[in-house]
Amino acid sequence: MIDSSSFQGKKAAYYTLGCKLNFSETSTFAKLLQQLGVTTAQKGDKADICLINTCSVTDVADHKCRQAIHRLVREHPGAFVVVTGCYAQLESEAVSKMEGVDLVLGSDEKAQLVQFLSDAFVRQASVAENGGDTSIASEGAGRRQAECHRKPTKDIRSFAPSCSRGNRTRFFLKVQDGCDYFCTYCTIPYARGFSRNPTIASLVELARQAAAEGGKEIVLTGVNIGDFGKSTGERFIDLVRALDSVEGVARYRISSLEPDLLSDELIEFCAKSRAFMPHFHIPLQSGSDTVLQLMHRHYRRQLFADKIKHIKQLMPHAFVGVDVMVGCRGETPECFEETYDFLEKLDVSQLHVFPYSERPGTMALKIPYTVSEKDKKQRSKRLLALSDAKTQAFYEAHIGQMTEVLFEKAVRGRAMHGFTPNYIRVELPPQEVQNNLDNQIVTVRLGDFNRDKTALMTHLVNDKL
Ligand code: SF4
């Protein structure tokens, strides 16, 4: 049972690292705590609770997690510090020994975060009544150690539902968690457990609530979204169909879909759907079949090329973003050139380039061929330049066209931005910003590039767009 009185009047500071899924979960925790009377600490406030939702996708991410924990402990002396997320699951022992950390929750326990907090506060209050030390962390072998709740990865079964407003405009709806794929470079299946999902009916209900709160755009998030259905026997395409019919939601985007799970049926549905946008984000990782094989990816490059062709045949204007990893073990210069040539010819709009990072415990470490940091940087640079050229060409092809933009709240005195259905960023100059355009879908004509080439300009005509 949750004792809400122990939360009343407290302030909480939140810090999130990593993916959209983590951000969405943190917002949901903040919402749950708000319902119990916890307010969000503003800049300069001293928080009573610090929640750090961590990531462990690279060793840089691990380092950032440790830095964030140290910083929050320092900035909020005496606060109750909770650490959860992928780094907490994978390195729970190390995290629980960090100075100032009170509670470590693994990926399964995260769903009961509020209950764990409530139990800890009740215990603290009872110790305080008896005049004892109120810190939850225990002294062991001369070292203060946090309370730690973490199941082994194979036992992670719970699903923490989450549908939250990322900024004032967009909602993030978590439709799936975990992954069964075990790509050789990736630690996510170890950190988040096996693939699991809630029912279609419960997700439709969350989408309805988001619409009732004024949400016009929902991004579907998850770890391996296309694998939806493992827990319920339902199909991803049926989820998409059901969500498409939710009244009030004008736009859906799918945050990422593995190419082998991006079915032709789904592409065909998106092409004629009411609200699923012509916008795809597909992880390729490598354009070399040799490397794809070493990565234990579930497809070869021809399948990827076929999917893009199919999308573009049905939706020539679709925006396609592609994840690419550079410098992974086994990526010889020839393999990289194959990737570069493949991507150069592919009709896609943007590349998300990630340099490979060695992760302890992964199968990739058994591959003997390694790539130097210098080569990784050079390869990233070349792919980023290719990405810029592709994005620019995609934007350029739309100049002069009429389309719809969902505008997002502007910072006072600054330009207003929004996105078209096919994910082109649009800018309205500061002097033409009107507050009533916030969260509105408006028909505009796309103009030329803005100054830093990150958006296409649009203008008000006689005070109207
Ligand atoms: Fe990691 Fe591969 Fe699963 Fe993606 S599909 S989360 S890269 S194991």
Side-chain angles (χ1 to χ4, degrees), residues 401-405 407 420 426 442-446 458 465:
Q401 289 187 9
M402 298 296 289
T403 184
E404 287 187 329
V405 173
F407 277 111
T420 64
V426 176
V442 187
T443 303
V444 302
R445 184 179 295 283
L446 297 175
T458 194
L465 280 159

Side-chain angles (χ1 to χ4, degrees), residues 179 181-183 185-186 188-189 223-224 258 297:
C179 183
Y181 269 25
F182 291 90
C183 301
Y185 54 84
C186 182
I188 291 178
V223 173
N224 189 346
E258 284 296 307
R297 299 288 288 166

Side-chain angles (χ1 to χ4, degrees), residues 349 387-397 399 449 453 456:
S349 334
S387 174
D388 282 351
K390 282 184 179 288
T391 309
Q392 207 154 319
F394 184 76
Y395 273 35
E396 235 159 45
I399 293 176
F449 282 96
K453 298 218 160 194
L456 292 184

Side-chain angles (χ1 to χ4, degrees), residues 318-380:
F319 181 100
V320 184
V322 177
D323 288 344
V324 197
M325 185 177 283
V326 291
C328 65
R329 286 197 176 214
E331 190 190 63
T332 60
E334 296 74 33
C335 292
F336 175 73
E337 291 308 325
E338 263 185 73
T339 297
Y340 189 92
D341 292 346
F342 180 70
L343 286 167
E344 199 178 24
K345 291 183 194 105
L346 213 57
D347 189 5
V348 296
S349 334
Q350 193 172 40
L351 307 176
H352 305 273
V353 184
F354 304 94
Y356 166 72
S357 165
E358 306 258 84
R359 308 305 294 130
T362 54
M363 300 262 288
L365 300 184
K366 296 205 169 91
I367 303 166
Y369 185 93
T370 58
V371 179
S372 71
E373 288 305 314
K374 189 172 153 242
D375 284 345
K376 272 188 214 172
K377 269 199 193 125
Q378 254 170 14
R379 292 177 193 181
S380 294

Side-chain angles (χ1 to χ4, degrees), residues 81-195:
V81 178
V82 194
V83 184
T84 189
C86 293
Y87 185 57
Q89 173 71 26
L90 291 171
E91 297 293 340
S92 56
E93 187 66 23
V95 176
S96 60
K97 284 182 185 152
M98 286 179 73
E99 190 58 45
V101 174
D102 292 289
L103 180 62
V104 180
L105 296 179
S107 297
D108 201 64
E109 293 76 9
K110 171 163 61 176
Q112 290 97 47
L113 181 129
V114 175
Q115 185 65 60
F116 277 111
L117 270 178
S118 169
D119 294 348
F121 291 156
V122 168
R123 276 202 306 279
Q124 262 187 341
S126 115
V127 174
E129 258 174 41
N130 296 317
D133 175 8
T134 55
S135 67
I136 296 295
S138 61
E139 300 285 336
R143 237 187 183 157
R144 187 178 174 278
Q145 184 146 350
E147 191 175 306
C148 178
H149 299 273
R150 175 208 174 266
K151 276 189 192 148
T153 306
K154 64 175 179 37
D155 296 331
I156 300 174
R157 293 281 179 270
S158 73
F159 185 90
S162 151
C163 182
S164 59
R165 213 162 199 168
N167 52 19
R168 272 179 51 93
T169 316
R170 216 165 287 140
F171 275 74
F172 292 94
L173 174 62
K174 177 176 156 188
V175 301
Q176 184 271 346
D177 202 346
C179 183
D180 298 346
Y181 269 25
F182 291 90
C183 301
T184 54
Y185 54 84
C186 182
T187 52
I188 291 178
Y190 306 103
R192 284 198 170 257
F194 294 119
S195 181

